[in-house]
Amino acid sequence: MAPDNASTTPTGYVQPDIDVRALTEILDGKYGEIRRLVRTNLATYASVLEEADELGIDAFRERVREIVVDMAATGQTGMGFPTVYGGGGDVGASIAAFETLAFGDLSVLVKVGVQFGLFGGAILHLGTERHHDAYLPDLITGELLGCFAMTETGHGSNVQALGTVARYDAAHQEFVVTTHGDQARKDYIGNAARHAEFAVVFAQLEVGGKSEGVHAFVVPVRVGGAPAPGVRIEDDGRKMGLNGVDNGRISFDGVRVPREALLNRFADVSPEGVYESPIENPNRRFFTMLGTLVQGRVSVGGAGINVAKVALAVATKYAVRRRQFATSQAEEQLLLDYGLHQRRLLPLIARTYALHFAQDVVRSQLHDVFSGVEDDERARRGLESRAAGLKALGTWHATRVVQECREACGGAGYLAVNRFAALKADSDVFTTFEGDNHVLLQLVAKGLLTDHASEFEDLDQLGMVRYVTNLAVETVIERASVHKLLERVRDLLPGGDEWDREAGLLDSEYQLAMVRFREEHMLVGVARRIKRGIDQKRDPGAVFSQVQDHVIALARAHVERLVTEAFVEKVRALPEGDEKEALALLCDLFALSTIEADRAWFMEHGRLTVQRSKAISREVNDLCRKVRPLAVDLVDAWGIPSEMLRAPDLVG
Amino acid sequence: MAPDNASTTPTGYVQPDIDVRALTEILDGKYGEIRRLVRTNLATYASVLEEADELGIDAFRERVREIVVDMAATGQTGMGFPTVYGGGGDVGASIAAFETLAFGDLSVLVKVGVQFGLFGGAILHLGTERHHDAYLPDLITGELLGCFAMTETGHGSNVQALGTVARYDAAHQEFVVTTHGDQARKDYIGNAARHAEFAVVFAQLEVGGKSEGVHAFVVPVRVGGAPAPGVRIEDDGRKMGLNGVDNGRISFDGVRVPREALLNRFADVSPEGVYESPIENPNRRFFTMLGTLVQGRVSVGGAGINVAKVALAVATKYAVRRRQFATSQAEEQLLLDYGLHQRRLLPLIARTYALHFAQDVVRSQLHDVFSGVEDDERARRGLESRAAGLKALGTWHATRVVQECREACGGAGYLAVNRFAALKADSDVFTTFEGDNHVLLQLVAKGLLTDHASEFEDLDQLGMVRYVTNLAVETVIERASVHKLLERVRDLLPGGDEWDREAGLLDSEYQLAMVRFREEHMLVGVARRIKRGIDQKRDPGAVFSQVQDHVIALARAHVERLVTEAFVEKVRALPEGDEKEALALLCDLFALSTIEADRAWFMEHGRLTVQRSKAISREVNDLCRKVRPLAVDLVDAWGIPSEMLRAPDLVG
């Protein structure tokens, strides 16, 4: 397709001419079919975007339930379940479907996530055949709705400290589930306030007076539409957004469920009351259970990236329609022809592409682990870390992009008839649910500091500090191997020891070397700081608290390195052509704007001279000007159904 | 009041013990009385926070109108009008009242702003006695509601290009107001959809076939509740937030108003159709008219700062209640004892204090100009620039703070029953209305580049570029006088030429020298870049577009310098005591975290060594630890009525 706007181009540079359909195919990858199905479904139910504004909260909750059940009938939402129960038997496709669904109303998305991802996922991954047979067929059609009761009022991120108790009563071969105090109330639970018949409840298992840690149980919470005996349900009420999802609080007053209600894939209790598990270490058992739920994080991260696409598509289309202020000529200039407006939107488009390709990698790892293609301890740890990191970066990206794009559309962006109101309110909590982003980044850093050691599961924060301390800091340095890295870089890049001064800014090896150097250097730095604090006999908690900002910076640097690698590798693997050229421009824009954003750190650590730092800023500006004429094609290639852009005043 | 949490303190440092009431008095300044009245009114009408969630849009609009009229009866909203018409005759107090009102529901705030600030302000400042007599008495009581019809669908920020026309018909001694095309429709107009009886309409005045530029007219838009003949009103419908304000679109189809409807303080048309104005230059006339509306920007900026206070008060109180994860001991640690959490919240508290004191300065300048204490061309220009800059920084601060605080309160922050949902949705548009922030910062920079030259009013963007070009760049350099600045610094700070390496980080002269240096250097840099582009015979529009990010950076640096000066001067002027000590800590935290945020620039421009840059980051961490025990007192001192914190789950 011809670029929408002729532009003067620097000498020798030939602007790529993007074939939008071809680029969409590159982006859709191997999941084109399921993504097309979801796009069709989104268009079919497009009226939900208006209904979200127009219906009252009760009616909207019912409408969303209806749409979710209808979509389930098309096979869209059941891709992750075994075919024998009516599912699609393709984990990767289930994530791709979820990502694509994020172009539409996010209450529908989150209700799908709660029902099929959280509730269904827990039954599938923590349960055994008896649970699968009992629940999966009706769960997959949406006939049986359930909820995932993990979070409590007093405990969000710290699941090991949950207060709900499930005591085994051997005499009756039942578990007795009890909420101890308001802080142990299950809270913010999607599907709880209205629709769930069953809940997967996470509770401290007590057998014969001994606590065996957190386990999951299937508990009926509603019978004939009313709360089951002993179950108290409150409505969380109106929320900032996602008001089509019925979040609520659940308390249990000695609710009895049969012994078989324990989701017993990783542990069981015999009728006589003997606890047994194939995984001996309780911490490892706990983290193995939690680990099976990693798909939720992969899903939410991917959804965040696609939310960003919707906002950027609206803002970009607006910016090539709207004129503001005259400059040279009498005619006012298009917004996107202003350098500042390019600076605001185009690096965000580049980062969205980068995150998209990074999401491809984590989705594919998830698929391999859960399909048994590559499922060992190390692969699972790598997947969990990548999922946590990408969830954090993807959802923060969504928050930032939605805000920037709303502002870039001015007052028109503020009207509910356009999409920003819903996008902003609905996606806000993405940074919190499925793991608070800051907590997730600490998990990522912990993995790096301990090299995902097998002892990993035993380590709480304090344990981690001790572990890093006991480990000779030299070992970390050796593993991080800044020096080895520098040697590798010297071989790859011209300039030898001066590689960071001599290499071309547009050489992707240079860009990779920079983000790799940053990560390795930060890793060693954090390890040293922790060791120094402990050597000075200071309180380990205080030491960790004090290095916490370095820990977060390390995790960010790690994830940005993974994202950069994913983008660079994707571009390299493409056949020659205009699409490859366009993506290479975007990749440069992403990598250099990422380095630019942290240029203070690179200067502080001797990897960027003042001159080169300024040169990078100039190059980012140049790249923005080159990407400008491609902008509309780049957002069109995301294949967002036009109904989902809504925004009649902005793009119509 | 005793600090809420004992903390280990560095050697020799004695933690100040804040008297919250005394600090509130410092913050309230000379407007304690009116602020107390508003606090009382906020508490009286606290139910509006729930009503915003519970009432439908129609009922909520009526409720907000009712509250506004009730509040008007207490004298709270009329402080800015002459006493002879029933007002309070105190411009500064009117701004202070508005700022304080921002602790509460923001629909009430914006409706007050529309009625008394925009509509009332236009009648007061652009009209003459005949308009004052006719409208002010009923307007001040809220019996007569009106709207301010400036923005059009196609023209937001570029007011000179408005499409609505008011043609003078000498035969009937009437103006004929007509909307030419959809783009000229008045849009997003508060009070238009439901309540306004009159509109102040900005339109291109045509007299005898000649266009005289944009002027304002009082036009009846509604009679007996229905649109007046020839007036078409549409409802903008639901918005992201502020749904208690009835925004709408207005079109005029040859609506006739008498000759006296022209707000004729700065220009008039005689019965025979002769146009006359005491200000000859049309551009200067236009900007003089607009300049009288500067109080809107001062008001919105101040409101943004107070919105930030509400969010920070909730998040801070939550962070000293909520525990998360065990570290050293069995007990989980308070959120605010984590280094990262301190880093997230405390510099934002410091910046909020800084902006508060900067707001004191601009409010006081506004008061002086509009009370005739100091009202010359230069004072007005300075006020307009400062108001524009502080509006941009204050409202962006609100957006950023609300988001960070919501995330810092996790899932609980997402429930509508807490305040973040409303704060986020309602305050979002603050960055856009009363002037898009990016456009405002360009105005600020334009003033700096032209030294608010008297030709200022003639300069559109292109004109400005030419002006800067024609002006020998040396003149700008001379004026900006980086060298003179450096000489002054040398005298003030130890270390002579090495001042930037030798001065203490906590020396406020050092901090001031840094932000002053940055501004002056950026000013010279932008001037040079523009001149270079023009010397190369490039298109001025393209040149300006290319330096636009430098222009914005310059304006930000300028405003941050003003804010730093305001804070430093405030602290210096205080009597010795614990409050002064506490504010001095906060001032250091603000100044150093501001320098830290832009440390890449300081390194790039030779004013920060790598070592010193790292030392600043360490110092910011140290300051956070010192401010931590004072945090609750610092947010309590803002005097937010407890009903306004709502958030029962977070602070209750």
Side-chain angles (χ1 to χ4, degrees), chain A residues 158 406 424 428 604 613, chain B residues 332 406 424 428 604 613:
Chain A
N158 191 359
R406 199 298 289 160
K424 184 166 164 166
D428 175 88
E604 284 172 352
S613 176
Chain B
E332 292 184 306
R406 199 296 290 158
K424 183 166 165 167
D428 176 89
E604 283 172 353
S613 175

Side-chain angles (χ1 to χ4, degrees), chain A residues 115-337:
Chain A
Q115 167 70 11
F116 305 100
L118 293 175
F119 175 59
I123 299 283
L124 178 65
H125 296 300
L126 302 179
T128 53
E129 203 173 347
R130 68 180 185 228
H131 306 106
H132 298 170
D133 291 347
Y135 304 114
L136 286 186
D138 288 352
L139 180 167
I140 292 171
T141 61
E143 210 168 299
L144 172 74
L145 295 186
C147 64
F148 181 82
M150 179 186 275
T151 298
E152 297 178 353
T153 304
H155 288 96
S157 299
N158 191 359
V159 178
Q160 278 182 293
L162 290 178
T164 304
V165 172
R167 182 177 54 77
Y168 185 64
D169 174 357
H172 297 86
Q173 299 191 18
E174 289 175 332
F175 293 102
V176 187
V177 183
T178 308
T179 301
H180 290 286
D182 269 1
Q183 292 297 302
R185 207 171 50 175
K186 297 296 176 185
D187 207 347
Y188 320 115
I189 310 299
N191 267 359
R194 203 53 72 93
H195 293 142
E197 290 183 64
F198 287 88
V200 170
V201 177
F202 288 81
Q204 304 287 353
L205 170 60
E206 279 183 23
V207 186
K210 179 164 181 270
S211 180
E212 301 289 356
V214 171
H215 290 68
F217 305 82
V218 184
V219 181
V221 290
R222 201 172 258 114
V223 180
V231 174
R232 192 158 60 96
I233 300 180
E234 293 166 277
D235 197 321
D236 272 326
R238 185 169 277 282
K239 305 184 296 293
M240 183 185 293
L242 299 178
N243 281 304
V245 183
D246 50 317
N247 293 75
R249 303 187 182 96
I250 316 180
S251 313
F252 303 95
D253 183 11
V255 174
R256 291 184 165 264
V257 291
R259 191 183 63 91
E260 292 77 15
L262 173 65
L263 292 174
N264 62 334
R265 177 166 165 205
F266 296 109
D268 209 347
V269 176
S270 73
E272 305 73 34
V274 177
Y275 177 81
E276 32 193 32
S277 168
I279 308 175
E280 265 187 47
N281 182 306
N283 264 304
R284 175 184 286 256
R285 190 186 312 133
F286 173 74
F287 282 107
T288 304
M289 287 187 203
L290 280 199
T292 61
L293 307 173
V294 65
Q295 66 179 18
R297 288 179 185 163
V298 176
S299 300
V300 171
I305 298 163
N306 276 7
V307 164
K309 289 179 190 168
V310 176
L312 280 165
V314 174
T316 302
K317 284 164 183 286
Y318 181 70
V320 296
R321 283 182 71 229
R322 172 85 172 187
R323 295 178 182 278
Q324 187 77 283
F325 290 109
T327 51
S328 309
Q329 315 303 329
E331 195 184 29
E332 291 184 305
Q333 191 168 303
L334 287 173
L335 285 185
L336 201 54
D337 287 328

Side-chain angles (χ1 to χ4, degrees), chain B residues 229-480:
Chain B
V231 174
R232 190 158 61 96
I233 300 181
E234 292 165 278
D235 197 321
D236 274 325
R238 185 168 276 280
K239 305 184 296 292
M240 183 184 294
L242 299 178
N243 281 303
V245 183
D246 52 316
N247 293 76
R249 304 188 182 95
I250 315 179
S251 314
F252 303 94
D253 182 12
V255 173
R256 290 184 166 264
V257 291
R259 189 182 64 90
E260 292 76 15
L262 174 66
L263 292 174
N264 61 335
R265 177 166 164 205
F266 296 109
D268 210 346
V269 175
S270 73
E272 306 73 33
V274 178
Y275 178 81
E276 32 192 30
S277 168
I279 308 175
E280 265 188 46
N281 181 308
N283 263 304
R284 175 184 287 255
R285 191 186 309 132
F286 173 73
F287 282 107
T288 303
M289 287 186 203
L290 279 200
T292 61
L293 307 173
V294 65
Q295 66 180 20
R297 288 180 184 161
V298 176
S299 301
V300 171
I305 297 164
N306 276 8
V307 164
K309 288 179 191 168
V310 176
L312 280 165
V314 174
T316 302
K317 285 164 183 286
Y318 181 70
V320 295
R321 282 183 71 230
R322 173 85 173 186
R323 296 178 181 276
Q324 186 77 283
F325 290 108
T327 51
S328 309
Q329 315 303 330
E331 195 184 28
E332 292 184 306
Q333 190 168 303
L334 287 173
L335 285 184
L336 201 55
D337 287 327
Y338 282 100
L340 180 66
H341 216 80
Q342 293 171 9
R343 263 280 185 176
R344 289 170 73 182
L345 297 185
L346 302 182
L348 295 178
I349 291 180
R351 193 175 174 91
T352 305
Y353 267 85
L355 289 166
H356 175 104
F357 293 122
Q359 174 73 8
D360 280 350
V361 175
V362 74
R363 185 193 327 102
S364 153
Q365 287 185 352
L366 179 84
H367 183 86
D368 290 353
V369 163
F370 281 81
S371 309
V373 176
E374 193 193 352
D375 182 12
D376 57 28
E377 197 65 15
R378 193 154 186 93
R380 289 203 171 234
R381 290 294 157 274
L383 167 63
E384 285 163 19
S385 169
R386 192 182 280 260
L390 209 56
K391 186 270 180 183
L393 264 62
T395 56
W396 269 327
H397 182 64
T399 299
R400 176 179 164 206
V401 165
V402 171
Q403 185 63 35
E404 190 67 52
C405 291
R406 199 296 290 158
E407 291 183 31
C409 291
Y414 194 64
L415 301 186
V417 73
N418 299 317
R419 281 217 61 193
F420 294 108
L423 287 178
K424 183 166 165 167
D426 291 343
S427 70
D428 176 89
V429 79
F430 285 22
T431 54
T432 297
F433 67 19
E434 291 289 327
D436 172 85
N437 283 358
H438 282 105
V439 174
L440 291 182
L441 287 187
Q442 290 182 64
L443 272 181
V444 170
K446 199 158 149 178
L448 295 172
L449 285 163
T450 59
D451 197 24
H452 303 295
S454 57
E455 299 97 314
F456 176 68
E457 297 84 354
D458 282 335
L459 301 180
D460 57 6
Q461 207 146 282
L462 177 60
M464 196 274 290
V465 172
R466 292 213 177 104
Y467 181 87
V468 175
T469 313
N470 294 338
L471 197 76
V473 77
E474 285 71 25
T475 314
V476 177
I477 297 175
E478 176 59 24
R479 206 178 55 238

